[in-house]
Amino acid sequence: MYSISEASEVLGVNPHTLRYYEKEGIITPDRSSAGIRSYTDSHIKWLNFVMKLRETQMPISDIKKYTQLFLEGPQTTKDRLTLLEDHQKNIQEQIQVLLSTNDMLSKKIVAYKGLIGERKQGLIP
């Protein structure tokens, strides 16, 4: 069991982020009789998944939808699959944009290095 501060440290996020995910219904930590949150290894595993979805720009609304579908049970498997497949398509589009941008930047860097080299050799005033 992890306290909110321990869980946030393990996950590399601010405790506020965990409270936000709880407020949005994405995670429901266990609570002591005094109301103190505690997180299990299962919670940590789930939050790692959620954070990967966020890192890849999945909107909170889609994460909430996925969470709700998961909580509804196995009859929602097809809907969850569709949601994840759609997100994967978005990631693949992002990758193509990044690769294209990286290629353009590489060409610019080579051009600038060429200019700097020519200046050092006195070919360009």
Side-chain angles (χ1 to χ4, degrees):
M1 297 293 257
Y2 303 86
S3 68
I4 191 167
S5 61
E6 292 167 334
S8 65
E9 188 174 325
V10 166
L11 295 163
V13 297
N14 188 299
H16 175 75
T17 301
L18 300 181
R19 288 186 201 97
Y20 173 74
Y21 287 155
E22 181 180 358
K23 180 179 143 268
E24 294 298 319
I26 293 169
I27 186 76
T28 305
D30 297 335
R31 295 247 183 190
S32 71
S33 58
I36 297 175
R37 295 171 180 88
S38 63
Y39 298 84
T40 64
D41 287 332
S42 293
H43 290 127
I44 300 298
K45 184 177 176 181
W46 171 254
L47 287 164
N48 272 316
F49 175 66
V50 166
M51 291 168 44
K52 285 295 178 192
L53 295 176
R54 284 298 299 142
E55 285 175 5
T56 56
Q57 309 305 311
M58 180 182 267
I60 288 291
S61 60
D62 286 351
I63 295 172
K64 287 171 62 173
K65 182 177 179 180
Y66 182 88
T67 302
Q68 186 58 43
L69 290 169
F70 177 80
L71 293 173
E72 289 175 18
Q75 69 273 16
T76 66
T77 301
K78 187 175 180 185
D79 292 332
R80 285 182 273 155
L81 173 62
T82 299
L83 202 144
L84 292 178
E85 286 175 335
D86 289 346
H87 184 60
Q88 186 177 46
K89 287 176 191 168
N90 289 335
I91 290 171
Q92 290 167 344
E93 290 171 6
Q94 289 175 39
I95 289 169
Q96 290 308 311
V97 168
L98 290 171
L99 287 171
S100 172
T101 303
N102 188 56
D103 185 50
M104 178 197 63
L105 289 173
S106 292
K107 291 174 182 171
K108 278 285 194 196
I109 289 168
V110 166
Y112 279 121
K113 285 182 176 181
L115 284 173
I116 290 168
E118 289 176 8
R119 281 195 182 117
K120 283 183 179 177
Q121 292 175 12
L123 298 175
I124 296 178

Short mmCIF file of all heavy atoms in Angstrom, two decimals, residues 53-112:
data_model
loop_
_atom_site.label_atom_id
_atom_site.label_comp_id
_atom_site.label_asym_id
_atom_site.label_seq_id
_atom_site.Cartn_x
_atom_site.Cartn_y
_atom_site.Cartn_z
N LEU A 53 -1.19 7.04 -21.67
CA LEU A 53 -2.22 7.58 -22.56
C LEU A 53 -2.13 9.10 -22.61
O LEU A 53 -2.22 9.70 -23.68
CB LEU A 53 -3.62 7.13 -22.11
CG LEU A 53 -3.90 5.63 -22.18
CD1 LEU A 53 -5.28 5.32 -21.61
CD2 LEU A 53 -3.78 5.10 -23.60
N ARG A 54 -1.93 9.74 -21.45
CA ARG A 54 -1.80 11.20 -21.42
C ARG A 54 -0.55 11.67 -22.14
O ARG A 54 -0.58 12.67 -22.85
CB ARG A 54 -1.77 11.71 -19.96
CG ARG A 54 -3.11 11.70 -19.29
CD ARG A 54 -4.15 12.58 -19.93
NE ARG A 54 -3.73 13.98 -19.92
CZ ARG A 54 -3.96 14.83 -20.91
NH1 ARG A 54 -4.60 14.47 -22.00
NH2 ARG A 54 -3.55 16.07 -20.82
N GLU A 55 0.57 10.94 -21.96
CA GLU A 55 1.81 11.31 -22.63
C GLU A 55 1.65 11.30 -24.14
O GLU A 55 2.37 12.01 -24.85
CB GLU A 55 2.94 10.35 -22.25
CG GLU A 55 3.48 10.57 -20.86
CD GLU A 55 4.51 9.52 -20.46
OE1 GLU A 55 4.88 8.67 -21.30
OE2 GLU A 55 4.95 9.55 -19.31
N THR A 56 0.74 10.50 -24.63
CA THR A 56 0.52 10.39 -26.07
C THR A 56 -0.71 11.20 -26.50
O THR A 56 -1.30 10.95 -27.54
CB THR A 56 0.38 8.92 -26.50
OG1 THR A 56 -0.66 8.29 -25.74
CG2 THR A 56 1.69 8.18 -26.29
N GLN A 57 -1.05 12.17 -25.66
CA GLN A 57 -2.07 13.17 -25.97
C GLN A 57 -3.51 12.63 -26.03
O GLN A 57 -4.36 13.23 -26.68
CB GLN A 57 -1.75 13.90 -27.29
CG GLN A 57 -0.34 14.46 -27.37
CD GLN A 57 0.01 15.38 -26.22
OE1 GLN A 57 -0.74 16.27 -25.89
NE2 GLN A 57 1.14 15.14 -25.58
N MET A 58 -3.80 11.52 -25.35
CA MET A 58 -5.20 11.10 -25.28
C MET A 58 -5.92 12.09 -24.37
O MET A 58 -5.47 12.37 -23.26
CB MET A 58 -5.36 9.69 -24.73
CG MET A 58 -6.84 9.26 -24.65
SD MET A 58 -7.10 7.61 -23.97
CE MET A 58 -7.14 6.65 -25.49
N PRO A 59 -7.04 12.63 -24.84
CA PRO A 59 -7.79 13.58 -24.02
C PRO A 59 -8.32 12.92 -22.74
O PRO A 59 -8.66 11.73 -22.74
CB PRO A 59 -8.96 14.00 -24.91
CG PRO A 59 -8.55 13.62 -26.30
CD PRO A 59 -7.63 12.45 -26.17
N ILE A 60 -8.41 13.71 -21.68
CA ILE A 60 -8.96 13.21 -20.42
C ILE A 60 -10.36 12.64 -20.65
O ILE A 60 -10.72 11.62 -20.06
CB ILE A 60 -9.00 14.33 -19.36
CG1 ILE A 60 -7.58 14.65 -18.86
CG2 ILE A 60 -9.89 13.96 -18.18
CD1 ILE A 60 -6.93 13.56 -18.04
N SER A 61 -11.14 13.27 -21.51
CA SER A 61 -12.50 12.78 -21.77
C SER A 61 -12.47 11.34 -22.30
O SER A 61 -13.32 10.52 -21.92
CB SER A 61 -13.24 13.70 -22.74
OG SER A 61 -12.56 13.77 -23.98
N ASP A 62 -11.50 11.02 -23.15
CA ASP A 62 -11.40 9.65 -23.67
C ASP A 62 -10.90 8.68 -22.60
O ASP A 62 -11.34 7.53 -22.55
CB ASP A 62 -10.47 9.59 -24.89
CG ASP A 62 -11.10 10.18 -26.14
OD1 ASP A 62 -12.32 10.48 -26.12
OD2 ASP A 62 -10.39 10.34 -27.14
N ILE A 63 -10.00 9.15 -21.74
CA ILE A 63 -9.53 8.30 -20.65
C ILE A 63 -10.68 8.03 -19.69
O ILE A 63 -10.85 6.90 -19.21
CB ILE A 63 -8.33 8.94 -19.93
CG1 ILE A 63 -7.13 9.02 -20.88
CG2 ILE A 63 -7.97 8.14 -18.66
CD1 ILE A 63 -5.95 9.80 -20.35
N LYS A 64 -11.49 9.03 -19.42
CA LYS A 64 -12.66 8.84 -18.56
C LYS A 64 -13.63 7.84 -19.20
O LYS A 64 -14.17 6.97 -18.51
CB LYS A 64 -13.36 10.18 -18.31
CG LYS A 64 -12.61 11.08 -17.36
CD LYS A 64 -13.17 12.47 -17.29
CE LYS A 64 -14.57 12.54 -16.79
NZ LYS A 64 -15.03 13.92 -16.56
N LYS A 65 -13.82 7.97 -20.51
CA LYS A 65 -14.71 7.06 -21.22
C LYS A 65 -14.17 5.63 -21.13
O LYS A 65 -14.91 4.69 -20.85
CB LYS A 65 -14.84 7.49 -22.68
CG LYS A 65 -15.77 6.64 -23.51
CD LYS A 65 -15.89 7.20 -24.92
CE LYS A 65 -16.81 6.35 -25.77
NZ LYS A 65 -16.93 6.87 -27.13
N TYR A 66 -12.87 5.46 -21.37
CA TYR A 66 -12.25 4.14 -21.29
C TYR A 66 -12.42 3.57 -19.89
O TYR A 66 -12.78 2.40 -19.71
CB TYR A 66 -10.77 4.22 -21.66
CG TYR A 66 -10.10 2.87 -21.65
CD1 TYR A 66 -10.08 2.06 -22.77
CD2 TYR A 66 -9.50 2.39 -20.48
CE1 TYR A 66 -9.48 0.81 -22.75
CE2 TYR A 66 -8.90 1.15 -20.45
CZ TYR A 66 -8.89 0.36 -21.59
OH TYR A 66 -8.31 -0.88 -21.55
N THR A 67 -12.17 4.40 -18.87
CA THR A 67 -12.31 3.96 -17.48
C THR A 67 -13.72 3.49 -17.19
O THR A 67 -13.94 2.43 -16.61
CB THR A 67 -11.93 5.11 -16.51
OG1 THR A 67 -10.59 5.52 -16.78
CG2 THR A 67 -12.06 4.69 -15.06
N GLN A 68 -14.69 4.27 -17.63
CA GLN A 68 -16.10 3.91 -17.40
C GLN A 68 -16.43 2.59 -18.09
O GLN A 68 -17.09 1.73 -17.51
CB GLN A 68 -17.03 5.03 -17.87
CG GLN A 68 -18.48 4.78 -17.53
CD GLN A 68 -18.73 4.60 -16.04
OE1 GLN A 68 -18.19 5.32 -15.21
NE2 GLN A 68 -19.53 3.61 -15.67
N LEU A 69 -15.97 2.44 -19.32
CA LEU A 69 -16.21 1.19 -20.05
C LEU A 69 -15.58 0.01 -19.31
O LEU A 69 -16.20 -1.05 -19.17
CB LEU A 69 -15.67 1.28 -21.47
CG LEU A 69 -16.41 2.22 -22.42
CD1 LEU A 69 -15.60 2.42 -23.69
CD2 LEU A 69 -17.80 1.67 -22.73
N PHE A 70 -14.37 0.20 -18.82
CA PHE A 70 -13.68 -0.86 -18.07
C PHE A 70 -14.48 -1.25 -16.84
O PHE A 70 -14.67 -2.43 -16.55
CB PHE A 70 -12.28 -0.39 -17.69
CG PHE A 70 -11.53 -1.40 -16.87
CD1 PHE A 70 -10.92 -2.48 -17.47
CD2 PHE A 70 -11.46 -1.27 -15.49
CE1 PHE A 70 -10.23 -3.43 -16.71
CE2 PHE A 70 -10.77 -2.20 -14.73
CZ PHE A 70 -10.16 -3.28 -15.33
N LEU A 71 -14.97 -0.24 -16.12
CA LEU A 71 -15.74 -0.49 -14.90
C LEU A 71 -17.07 -1.19 -15.19
O LEU A 71 -17.59 -1.91 -14.34
CB LEU A 71 -15.96 0.81 -14.13
CG LEU A 71 -14.70 1.45 -13.54
CD1 LEU A 71 -15.02 2.81 -12.95
CD2 LEU A 71 -14.05 0.53 -12.51
N GLU A 72 -17.61 -0.97 -16.38
CA GLU A 72 -18.88 -1.61 -16.76
C GLU A 72 -18.72 -3.10 -17.01
O GLU A 72 -19.71 -3.83 -16.99
CB GLU A 72 -19.48 -0.92 -17.97
CG GLU A 72 -20.02 0.46 -17.66
CD GLU A 72 -20.51 1.19 -18.89
OE1 GLU A 72 -20.77 0.56 -19.94
OE2 GLU A 72 -20.63 2.43 -18.80
N GLY A 73 -17.51 -3.54 -17.28
CA GLY A 73 -17.29 -4.97 -17.40
C GLY A 73 -16.95 -5.46 -18.79
O GLY A 73 -16.79 -4.68 -19.73
N PRO A 74 -16.84 -6.80 -18.91
CA PRO A 74 -16.34 -7.40 -20.15
C PRO A 74 -17.24 -7.18 -21.38
O PRO A 74 -16.76 -7.29 -22.50
CB PRO A 74 -16.25 -8.90 -19.82
CG PRO A 74 -17.00 -9.09 -18.56
CD PRO A 74 -17.09 -7.78 -17.87
N GLN A 75 -18.49 -6.84 -21.17
CA GLN A 75 -19.36 -6.60 -22.33
C GLN A 75 -18.95 -5.34 -23.10
O GLN A 75 -19.43 -5.13 -24.21
CB GLN A 75 -20.85 -6.52 -21.90
CG GLN A 75 -21.21 -5.31 -21.08
CD GLN A 75 -20.99 -5.47 -19.59
OE1 GLN A 75 -20.30 -6.37 -19.14
NE2 GLN A 75 -21.58 -4.57 -18.81
N THR A 76 -18.04 -4.55 -22.54
CA THR A 76 -17.57 -3.33 -23.22
C THR A 76 -16.22 -3.52 -23.90
O THR A 76 -15.64 -2.54 -24.37
CB THR A 76 -17.46 -2.17 -22.21
OG1 THR A 76 -16.42 -2.48 -21.26
CG2 THR A 76 -18.78 -1.91 -21.49
N THR A 77 -15.75 -4.75 -23.97
CA THR A 77 -14.42 -5.01 -24.52
C THR A 77 -14.27 -4.44 -25.92
O THR A 77 -13.27 -3.82 -26.26
CB THR A 77 -14.12 -6.52 -24.50
OG1 THR A 77 -14.19 -6.97 -23.15
CG2 THR A 77 -12.75 -6.82 -25.07
N LYS A 78 -15.27 -4.63 -26.77
CA LYS A 78 -15.18 -4.16 -28.15
C LYS A 78 -15.08 -2.63 -28.20
O LYS A 78 -14.30 -2.08 -28.98
CB LYS A 78 -16.38 -4.64 -28.96
CG LYS A 78 -16.28 -4.32 -30.42
CD LYS A 78 -17.41 -4.90 -31.23
CE LYS A 78 -17.23 -4.54 -32.70
NZ LYS A 78 -18.35 -4.97 -33.52
N ASP A 79 -15.85 -1.96 -27.37
CA ASP A 79 -15.79 -0.49 -27.33
C ASP A 79 -14.43 0.00 -26.84
O ASP A 79 -13.90 0.98 -27.37
CB ASP A 79 -16.89 0.07 -26.42
CG ASP A 79 -18.28 -0.16 -26.98
OD1 ASP A 79 -18.43 -0.24 -28.21
OD2 ASP A 79 -19.22 -0.27 -26.18
N ARG A 80 -13.86 -0.69 -25.85
CA ARG A 80 -12.54 -0.32 -25.35
C ARG A 80 -11.49 -0.53 -26.43
O ARG A 80 -10.59 0.29 -26.61
CB ARG A 80 -12.19 -1.12 -24.10
CG ARG A 80 -12.93 -0.63 -22.87
CD ARG A 80 -12.54 -1.39 -21.64
NE ARG A 80 -13.37 -2.59 -21.54
CZ ARG A 80 -13.03 -3.69 -20.91
NH1 ARG A 80 -11.86 -3.79 -20.33
NH2 ARG A 80 -13.85 -4.71 -20.86
N LEU A 81 -11.61 -1.65 -27.15
CA LEU A 81 -10.69 -1.95 -28.24
C LEU A 81 -10.74 -0.84 -29.29
O LEU A 81 -9.71 -0.34 -29.73
CB LEU A 81 -11.00 -3.30 -28.87
CG LEU A 81 -10.22 -3.66 -30.12
CD1 LEU A 81 -8.72 -3.76 -29.83
CD2 LEU A 81 -10.74 -4.97 -30.70
N THR A 82 -11.94 -0.44 -29.67
CA THR A 82 -12.10 0.62 -30.67
C THR A 82 -11.47 1.92 -30.21
O THR A 82 -10.76 2.59 -30.96
CB THR A 82 -13.60 0.84 -30.97
OG1 THR A 82 -14.15 -0.38 -31.50
CG2 THR A 82 -13.82 1.97 -31.97
N LEU A 83 -11.68 2.26 -28.95
CA LEU A 83 -11.10 3.49 -28.41
C LEU A 83 -9.59 3.44 -28.47
O LEU A 83 -8.94 4.40 -28.89
CB LEU A 83 -11.58 3.67 -26.97
CG LEU A 83 -11.51 5.08 -26.43
CD1 LEU A 83 -12.70 5.36 -25.51
CD2 LEU A 83 -10.24 5.33 -25.69
N LEU A 84 -9.00 2.30 -28.09
CA LEU A 84 -7.54 2.18 -28.12
C LEU A 84 -7.00 2.13 -29.55
O LEU A 84 -5.94 2.71 -29.83
CB LEU A 84 -7.09 0.94 -27.34
CG LEU A 84 -7.32 1.00 -25.83
CD1 LEU A 84 -6.89 -0.30 -25.18
CD2 LEU A 84 -6.62 2.19 -25.20
N GLU A 85 -7.71 1.48 -30.46
CA GLU A 85 -7.26 1.46 -31.86
C GLU A 85 -7.29 2.86 -32.45
O GLU A 85 -6.35 3.25 -33.18
CB GLU A 85 -8.14 0.52 -32.68
CG GLU A 85 -7.88 -0.94 -32.42
CD GLU A 85 -8.84 -1.87 -33.15
OE1 GLU A 85 -9.98 -1.46 -33.48
OE2 GLU A 85 -8.44 -3.03 -33.39
N ASP A 86 -8.33 3.63 -32.15
CA ASP A 86 -8.40 5.01 -32.63
C ASP A 86 -7.24 5.84 -32.08
O ASP A 86 -6.62 6.63 -32.80
CB ASP A 86 -9.73 5.67 -32.24
CG ASP A 86 -10.91 5.11 -33.01
OD1 ASP A 86 -10.70 4.41 -34.03
OD2 ASP A 86 -12.06 5.37 -32.58
N HIS A 87 -6.93 5.63 -30.81
CA HIS A 87 -5.82 6.36 -30.21
C HIS A 87 -4.50 5.95 -30.85
O HIS A 87 -3.64 6.79 -31.10
CB HIS A 87 -5.78 6.16 -28.69
CG HIS A 87 -4.73 6.98 -28.04
ND1 HIS A 87 -4.70 8.36 -28.10
CD2 HIS A 87 -3.63 6.63 -27.33
CE1 HIS A 87 -3.65 8.81 -27.46
NE2 HIS A 87 -2.97 7.78 -26.98
N GLN A 88 -4.34 4.67 -31.11
CA GLN A 88 -3.11 4.21 -31.75
C GLN A 88 -2.94 4.84 -33.13
O GLN A 88 -1.82 5.23 -33.51
CB GLN A 88 -3.09 2.68 -31.86
CG GLN A 88 -1.76 2.16 -32.38
CD GLN A 88 -1.72 0.65 -32.43
OE1 GLN A 88 -2.66 0.01 -32.90
NE2 GLN A 88 -0.63 0.08 -31.94
N LYS A 89 -4.02 5.00 -33.88
CA LYS A 89 -3.95 5.69 -35.17
C LYS A 89 -3.46 7.12 -34.99
O LYS A 89 -2.64 7.61 -35.77
CB LYS A 89 -5.31 5.68 -35.87
CG LYS A 89 -5.72 4.34 -36.41
CD LYS A 89 -7.11 4.38 -37.00
CE LYS A 89 -7.60 2.98 -37.29
NZ LYS A 89 -9.03 2.94 -37.61
N ASN A 90 -3.96 7.79 -33.95
CA ASN A 90 -3.51 9.15 -33.67
C ASN A 90 -2.02 9.18 -33.35
O ASN A 90 -1.30 10.08 -33.80
CB ASN A 90 -4.30 9.75 -32.51
CG ASN A 90 -5.73 10.07 -32.87
OD1 ASN A 90 -6.05 10.30 -34.04
ND2 ASN A 90 -6.60 10.07 -31.89
N ILE A 91 -1.56 8.21 -32.57
CA ILE A 91 -0.13 8.13 -32.24
C ILE A 91 0.69 7.93 -33.50
O ILE A 91 1.72 8.58 -33.70
CB ILE A 91 0.13 6.99 -31.23
CG1 ILE A 91 -0.45 7.35 -29.87
CG2 ILE A 91 1.63 6.72 -31.10
CD1 ILE A 91 -0.42 6.20 -28.88
N GLN A 92 0.24 7.05 -34.39
CA GLN A 92 0.97 6.79 -35.62
C GLN A 92 1.03 8.04 -36.49
O GLN A 92 2.06 8.31 -37.11
CB GLN A 92 0.34 5.61 -36.36
CG GLN A 92 0.58 4.30 -35.64
CD GLN A 92 -0.28 3.15 -36.15
OE1 GLN A 92 -1.27 3.33 -36.85
NE2 GLN A 92 0.10 1.94 -35.78
N GLU A 93 -0.03 8.83 -36.49
CA GLU A 93 -0.01 10.10 -37.22
C GLU A 93 0.99 11.07 -36.58
O GLU A 93 1.73 11.76 -37.29
CB GLU A 93 -1.41 10.71 -37.26
CG GLU A 93 -2.37 9.94 -38.15
CD GLU A 93 -3.81 10.42 -38.02
OE1 GLU A 93 -4.08 11.43 -37.33
OE2 GLU A 93 -4.69 9.77 -38.62
N GLN A 94 1.02 11.10 -35.25
CA GLN A 94 1.98 11.95 -34.54
C GLN A 94 3.41 11.54 -34.88
O GLN A 94 4.28 12.40 -35.09
CB GLN A 94 1.79 11.84 -33.03
CG GLN A 94 0.54 12.47 -32.48
CD GLN A 94 0.40 12.19 -30.98
OE1 GLN A 94 1.38 12.21 -30.25
NE2 GLN A 94 -0.82 11.93 -30.55
N ILE A 95 3.65 10.25 -34.94
CA ILE A 95 4.99 9.74 -35.26
C ILE A 95 5.40 10.20 -36.65
O ILE A 95 6.54 10.64 -36.84
CB ILE A 95 5.03 8.20 -35.14
CG1 ILE A 95 4.95 7.78 -33.68
CG2 ILE A 95 6.30 7.64 -35.80
CD1 ILE A 95 4.72 6.28 -33.47
N GLN A 96 4.49 10.14 -37.61
CA GLN A 96 4.82 10.57 -38.97
C GLN A 96 5.15 12.05 -39.02
O GLN A 96 6.10 12.47 -39.69
CB GLN A 96 3.67 10.23 -39.93
CG GLN A 96 3.50 8.75 -40.18
CD GLN A 96 4.79 8.07 -40.60
OE1 GLN A 96 5.50 8.52 -41.50
NE2 GLN A 96 5.13 6.98 -39.92
N VAL A 97 4.40 12.85 -38.29
CA VAL A 97 4.67 14.29 -38.23
C VAL A 97 6.04 14.53 -37.60
O VAL A 97 6.84 15.33 -38.10
CB VAL A 97 3.56 15.03 -37.45
CG1 VAL A 97 3.97 16.45 -37.12
CG2 VAL A 97 2.25 15.01 -38.23
N LEU A 98 6.33 13.82 -36.51
CA LEU A 98 7.62 13.99 -35.85
C LEU A 98 8.78 13.55 -36.74
O LEU A 98 9.82 14.22 -36.79
CB LEU A 98 7.65 13.23 -34.52
CG LEU A 98 6.77 13.80 -33.42
CD1 LEU A 98 6.70 12.83 -32.24
CD2 LEU A 98 7.26 15.15 -32.97
N LEU A 99 8.61 12.44 -37.44
CA LEU A 99 9.67 11.97 -38.34
C LEU A 99 9.91 12.98 -39.46
O LEU A 99 11.06 13.27 -39.80
CB LEU A 99 9.31 10.60 -38.92
CG LEU A 99 9.41 9.43 -37.95
CD1 LEU A 99 8.84 8.16 -38.58
CD2 LEU A 99 10.85 9.20 -37.50
N SER A 100 8.84 13.50 -40.02
CA SER A 100 8.96 14.49 -41.09
C SER A 100 9.65 15.76 -40.57
O SER A 100 10.53 16.31 -41.24
CB SER A 100 7.57 14.82 -41.63
OG SER A 100 7.61 15.88 -42.53
N THR A 101 9.25 16.20 -39.40
CA THR A 101 9.86 17.39 -38.81
C THR A 101 11.33 17.15 -38.49
O THR A 101 12.18 18.01 -38.73
CB THR A 101 9.10 17.81 -37.54
OG1 THR A 101 7.73 18.04 -37.88
CG2 THR A 101 9.69 19.05 -36.92
N ASN A 102 11.63 15.97 -37.97
CA ASN A 102 13.02 15.62 -37.66
C ASN A 102 13.87 15.62 -38.92
O ASN A 102 15.00 16.11 -38.92
CB ASN A 102 13.08 14.26 -36.96
CG ASN A 102 14.47 13.96 -36.44
OD1 ASN A 102 15.03 14.72 -35.68
ND2 ASN A 102 15.02 12.84 -36.87
N ASP A 103 13.34 15.11 -40.00
CA ASP A 103 14.07 15.10 -41.27
C ASP A 103 14.35 16.53 -41.74
O ASP A 103 15.46 16.85 -42.15
CB ASP A 103 13.26 14.33 -42.32
CG ASP A 103 14.00 14.17 -43.62
OD1 ASP A 103 15.18 13.73 -43.59
OD2 ASP A 103 13.42 14.47 -44.68
N MET A 104 13.33 17.39 -41.65
CA MET A 104 13.51 18.78 -42.05
C MET A 104 14.57 19.45 -41.18
O MET A 104 15.45 20.16 -41.69
CB MET A 104 12.19 19.54 -41.93
CG MET A 104 12.29 21.01 -42.29
SD MET A 104 10.92 22.01 -41.69
CE MET A 104 11.09 21.82 -39.92
N LEU A 105 14.53 19.22 -39.87
CA LEU A 105 15.51 19.82 -38.97
C LEU A 105 16.92 19.30 -39.27
O LEU A 105 17.88 20.07 -39.22
CB LEU A 105 15.14 19.54 -37.51
CG LEU A 105 13.92 20.30 -36.98
CD1 LEU A 105 13.57 19.81 -35.58
CD2 LEU A 105 14.16 21.79 -36.99
N SER A 106 17.04 18.01 -39.56
CA SER A 106 18.36 17.45 -39.89
C SER A 106 18.95 18.16 -41.10
O SER A 106 20.15 18.47 -41.11
CB SER A 106 18.23 15.95 -40.16
OG SER A 106 17.91 15.26 -38.98
N LYS A 107 18.14 18.42 -42.10
CA LYS A 107 18.62 19.12 -43.30
C LYS A 107 19.05 20.55 -42.98
O LYS A 107 20.07 21.01 -43.48
CB LYS A 107 17.55 19.10 -44.39
CG LYS A 107 17.32 17.72 -44.96
CD LYS A 107 16.16 17.68 -45.93
CE LYS A 107 15.96 16.26 -46.42
NZ LYS A 107 14.74 16.09 -47.20
N LYS A 108 18.27 21.22 -42.14
CA LYS A 108 18.63 22.59 -41.74
C LYS A 108 19.95 22.59 -40.95
O LYS A 108 20.80 23.45 -41.16
CB LYS A 108 17.53 23.21 -40.86
CG LYS A 108 16.38 23.77 -41.62
CD LYS A 108 16.80 25.08 -42.25
CE LYS A 108 15.58 25.82 -42.73
NZ LYS A 108 15.94 26.88 -43.65
N ILE A 109 20.09 21.63 -40.05
CA ILE A 109 21.31 21.55 -39.24
C ILE A 109 22.53 21.32 -40.12
O ILE A 109 23.57 21.97 -39.96
CB ILE A 109 21.16 20.45 -38.16
CG1 ILE A 109 20.16 20.92 -37.09
CG2 ILE A 109 22.50 20.08 -37.54
CD1 ILE A 109 19.70 19.84 -36.14
N VAL A 110 22.42 20.43 -41.09
CA VAL A 110 23.52 20.17 -42.03
C VAL A 110 23.85 21.45 -42.80
O VAL A 110 25.03 21.80 -42.96
CB VAL A 110 23.17 19.01 -42.98
CG1 VAL A 110 24.13 18.95 -44.15
CG2 VAL A 110 23.15 17.69 -42.22
N ALA A 111 22.83 22.17 -43.23
CA ALA A 111 23.06 23.41 -43.98
C ALA A 111 23.79 24.44 -43.11
O ALA A 111 24.75 25.08 -43.57
CB ALA A 111 21.73 23.98 -44.48
N TYR A 112 23.35 24.61 -41.85
CA TYR A 112 24.01 25.57 -40.97
C TYR A 112 25.44 25.16 -40.66
O TYR A 112 26.34 26.00 -40.60
CB TYR A 112 23.22 25.75 -39.66
CG TYR A 112 22.05 26.70 -39.82
CD1 TYR A 112 20.76 26.27 -39.55
CD2 TYR A 112 22.23 28.02 -40.22
CE1 TYR A 112 19.67 27.12 -39.69
CE2 TYR A 112 21.16 28.88 -40.37
CZ TYR A 112 19.88 28.43 -40.10
OH TYR A 112 18.83 29.29 -40.24
#
